[in-house]
Amino acid sequence: MGNSRRTFVAGAAAVTGAVAAGGVALGTAPAVAAEPAGAQTAAVFGGGVAGLTAAHELAERGFRVTVYERRALGGKARSMDVPDSARGSRRPLPAEHGFRFIPGIYHNLPDTMRRIPFPGNANGVWDNLVAPAEMSFARTGREDLRIPLPWPGHRPAELTLDEIRRALTALLDTARSIPLHETAYFVNRFLVFLTSCDERRNEEWERTPWWEFLRAARMSYDYQRILAVGLTRNIVATKAEEASTRTVATLLEAFVFNALGRGADGPLDRILNLPTNEAWIDPWVAHLTGLGVEFRIGWTLRELSYDSGTGRVGAAAVEDPQGVRRQVTADHYLSAIPVEHARRTWGAALRAADPQLARCDRLETDWMTGIQFYLTEHAPLLAGHANCIDSPWSLTAIQQARHWPSRDFPADYGDGAAVDCLSVDISEWDQPGILYGKTAKQCTRTEVAREVWAQLKAAFNDTGRTVLKDSTLHSWFLDPGVDGLGTPNPTNEDRLLVHPVGTFHNRPQAATRIPNLFLAGDYVAVDIDLATMEGANASARQAVNALLDRTGSTAARCTVHTLFRAPETEGLKRHDRLRYRLGLPNALDAG
């Protein structure tokens, strides 16, 4: 793939024009019939993945859709410009809330991506996905454990004797540090979950913390850091001591099947080959505009007004970009904003009309925020994601520009000096760091950057190699949604839904009891019990289907893909269902 933003901009007008004319651009999306007279209107609040997905599905079915977004289209998935970083004819350095991760367990989001035209791509923006060939657990004071991600078409990284020595050392060191009986116990626990029926998963395992399920308190440090904490704080962004076993183990099960090539859309790990807006969001907005979707940027939803006489939402109170309060009316209302913002817009009357809205107050959010470091040299890290397993702030990172095949980063961005972008997610904001002894929330923005850099160096520069050099650090950028750092009241506009025990039972359905109100977002109940772009996409599809059902529409329903279920385990799950109903443990559960 050699497409750059220049290529996209040059082709976007042609793509939009083709769709607007009723044609099929590149064969990736169905043609849309002319809008019927008196088409029903839909107001979609929130322009993130959920909102754009809902707009996409509704517009293809002839609805007149308007999307209201308070800040920027793409939501937490978007990339953004680093202010004042451009020089000459170059574009600003690209930044983001956090790096994209689109694993092969996703099916709904990839389906949407295939239907978004992109110049030169037979499969739309889906063809902009590339698969890193490896991942690693970066250890502090020990060799990093590098794990190849085999998949047809993957080309192994260049190997040297030194790299082979380091890889084998790390593998044997890790194998030695987790005692054999602990490894066997973990495998048994996974098999217990794998053969557990849905009732046991939804009740017993939903109410059991992952830490307790694994008996982590009695195990070795590496068992705790890799198998308990590593699968929760660093990936699911929740605490192992609190996280629902159902949530964590469901994700682990899906990844295991993905690695085995079962029920997968593609490789275990996929990222975009350009900054997110260039590779995905901008083409999506162009396509939706061609489908007739209207966008109102800078418009903030304040309240959905409930009409007790009709039992419906009568209007939406919004603020326009000038701060003027306005009333928006539509036939249907779809709330696709994050739960911590959405629940502020549900008044007492609306909550009384549907008790599941009030249950959303029990959903919890936490901080998981990105910072980017721009480098003047390509650091020899690895071709994929690195999980800094021993870092106090639970850092995960990836060198992005090395995965952009066009390799035009220095020529097209910033001042031309930066050649790579090391994108890092900070998952733990409430533990002291190694540089200042303060939590991330207690640090200033500059202190956060210095602390993260120090923790990265502790993970990568600890076994005889200087991988990250201070002299190559060009600049950094911390997500602007975080504010007030170093003060008594830090805030985060882009919090992440986390999954303490019991969360599953408080997630709402896409359809509400209010006939013209529907919910979409990563907090809505879907098959993937996790705050993900896949969940946001699937929930929007469910919301559109519910809307179509309510209106008696004859339009085709959205396909909603579920996580892969191995047929080989279904018989064991049926056996466990009988045991569960008799009050017996799973047959493999030795306690």
Side-chain angles (χ1 to χ4, degrees):
M1 303 295 301
N3 291 309
S4 67
R5 185 173 179 178
R6 292 194 187 99
T7 308
F8 167 69
V9 171
V15 172
T16 302
V19 177
V24 183
L26 304 178
T28 59
V32 178
E35 185 179 289
Q40 295 187 64
T41 58
V44 176
F45 298 99
V49 172
L52 294 180
T53 300
H56 194 158
E57 301 294 348
L58 288 168
E60 285 188 350
R61 290 160 176 79
F63 286 80
R64 290 168 48 203
V65 183
T66 303
V67 176
Y68 298 87
E69 165 57 42
R70 69 186 178 93
R71 190 171 52 186
L73 295 175
K76 286 181 286 197
R78 77 191 188 283
S79 55
M80 63 193 85
D81 294 338
V82 176
D84 305 318
S85 63
R87 298 292 183 272
S89 60
R90 297 184 183 89
R91 299 189 297 279
L93 289 169
E96 60 201 354
H97 166 71
F99 53 72
R100 303 283 72 74
F101 174 50
I102 305 175
I105 66 173
Y106 291 4
H107 286 273
N108 296 287
L109 186 67
D111 173 71
T112 296
M113 298 177 83
R114 289 184 177 94
R115 291 156 46 207
I116 303 170
F118 192 92
N121 287 2
N123 298 297
V125 303
W126 184 86
D127 282 340
N128 290 339
L129 293 174
V130 294
E134 61 180 339
M135 65 165 289
S136 81
F137 288 109
R139 308 306 307 269
T140 298
R142 294 159 64 178
E143 288 289 357
D144 300 341
L145 180 61
R146 295 174 66 162
I147 304 171
L149 301 176
W151 197 263
H154 270 194
R155 180 168 178 246
E158 295 289 336
L159 291 178
T160 66
L161 288 178
D162 185 59
E163 286 173 336
I164 294 172
R165 178 187 63 79
R166 290 176 181 276
L168 290 175
T169 299
L171 179 63
L172 294 174
D173 181 58
T174 301
R176 177 180 55 81
S177 62
I178 301 181
L180 184 60
H181 72 276
E182 292 186 0
T183 301
Y185 186 79
F186 177 84
V187 171
N188 173 259
R189 300 310 285 168
F190 175 72
L191 294 178
V192 166
F193 185 85
L194 190 67
T195 58
S196 289
C197 63
D198 290 340
E199 291 90 338
R200 193 184 299 279
R201 292 183 180 202
N202 296 345
E203 296 299 329
E204 183 176 358
W205 301 143
E206 172 61 22
R207 302 188 187 283
T208 303
W210 179 243
W211 186 267
E212 180 181 321
F213 180 78
L214 294 182
R215 305 294 189 267
R218 67 179 72 165
M219 302 299 185
S220 64
Y221 172 83
D222 274 14
Y223 181 99
Q224 295 173 350
R225 291 302 301 177
I226 296 176
L227 301 177
V229 175
L231 293 175
T232 54
R233 198 61 188 165
N234 293 57
I235 298 175
V236 190
T238 191
K239 296 179 175 65
E241 296 84 353
E242 302 173 359
S244 152
T245 291
R246 181 190 187 278
T247 296
V248 179
T250 297
L251 180 69
L252 176 60
E253 177 184 20
F255 278 134
V256 168
F257 285 133
N258 189 176
L260 295 173
R262 302 291 302 278
D265 178 80
L268 189 69
D269 187 2
R270 294 179 297 188
I271 62 174
L272 291 165
N273 65 355
L274 285 168
T276 308
N277 275 30
E278 299 175 37
W280 174 24
I281 302 300
D282 289 347
W284 201 1
V285 172
H287 181 56
L288 296 184
T289 301
L291 294 178
V293 176
E294 297 184 13
F295 295 97
R296 300 284 184 268
I297 311 301
W299 293 62
T300 304
L301 175 64
R302 293 304 181 192
E303 184 177 7
L304 291 166
S305 302
Y306 180 68
D307 186 336
S308 57
T310 63
R312 301 167 64 88
V313 172
V318 301
E319 283 185 9
D320 68 14
Q322 288 72 44
V324 177
R325 193 94 165 190
R326 298 178 179 271
Q327 293 289 312
V328 168
T329 58
D331 295 316
H332 310 283
Y333 300 84
L334 198 149
S335 177
I337 57 182
V339 66
E340 68 271 22
H341 300 296
R343 55 195 176 200
R344 299 172 190 163
T345 70
W346 304 331
L350 198 68
R351 288 165 174 260
D354 190 346
Q356 72 170 343
L357 299 180
R359 288 201 301 272
C360 289
D361 291 341
R362 303 173 191 170
L363 297 177
E364 298 182 27
T365 59
D366 204 345
W367 290 37
M368 184 175 185
T369 304
I371 182 172
Q372 288 77 52
F373 295 95
Y374 303 95
L375 310 177
T376 57
E377 294 179 5
H378 290 290
L381 294 179
L382 77 157
H385 288 97
N387 186 326
C388 301
I389 198 74
D390 300 310
S391 60
W393 289 2
S394 295
L395 306 179
T396 49
I398 188 170
Q399 287 176 271
Q400 292 183 308
R402 71 177 298 169
H403 299 283
W404 297 346
S406 60
R407 287 291 201 161
D408 59 1
F409 192 90
D412 283 1
Y413 300 93
D415 60 6
V419 301
D420 208 345
C421 172
L422 180 59
S423 187
V424 184
D425 279 353
I426 308 169
S427 296
E428 175 57 77
W429 285 77
D430 296 306
Q431 291 295 324
I434 64 174
L435 196 60
Y436 298 104
K438 296 190 292 186
T439 70
K441 292 177 182 176
Q442 293 170 335
C443 291
T444 65
R445 297 179 73 86
T446 298
E447 288 173 340
V448 166
R450 290 174 177 168
E451 177 71 53
V452 172
W453 185 250
Q455 291 187 30
L456 291 171
K457 289 193 296 182
F460 294 116
N461 292 358
D462 56 337
T463 53
R465 292 189 304 170
T466 303
V467 176
L468 294 177
K469 305 174 185 176
D470 292 339
S471 60
T472 66
L473 180 57
H474 175 276
S475 55
W476 55 268
F477 182 81
L478 178 62
D479 181 11
V482 173
D483 196 17
L485 291 177
T487 73
N489 298 298
T491 60
N492 188 342
E493 284 291 300
D494 298 299
R495 297 172 68 95
L496 182 74
L497 181 74
V498 292
H499 301 77
V501 294
T503 297
F504 169 75
H505 300 289
N506 294 320
R507 292 172 71 116
Q509 299 298 312
T512 73
R513 294 187 183 180
I514 298 91
N516 63 340
L517 175 62
F518 308 90
L519 306 179
D522 59 13
Y523 68 97
V524 175
V526 292
D527 196 51
I528 185 168
D529 183 28
L530 191 66
T532 60
M533 296 184 293
E534 172 78 349
N537 183 281
S539 69
R541 292 167 178 246
Q542 291 183 171
V544 170
N545 285 347
L547 188 157
L548 297 175
D549 290 344
R550 291 269 174 87
T551 60
S553 172
T554 59
R557 294 330 190 235
C558 307
T559 299
V560 182
H561 300 272
T562 58
L563 289 172
F564 174 73
R565 294 177 69 105
E568 297 89 342
T569 64
E570 291 305 306
L572 296 170
K573 290 178 182 177
R574 287 193 295 270
H575 178 255
D576 186 61
R577 184 175 297 113
L578 176 61
R579 293 181 63 86
Y580 180 75
R581 291 174 179 175
L582 292 174
L584 299 173
N586 181 279
L588 300 178
D589 194 348

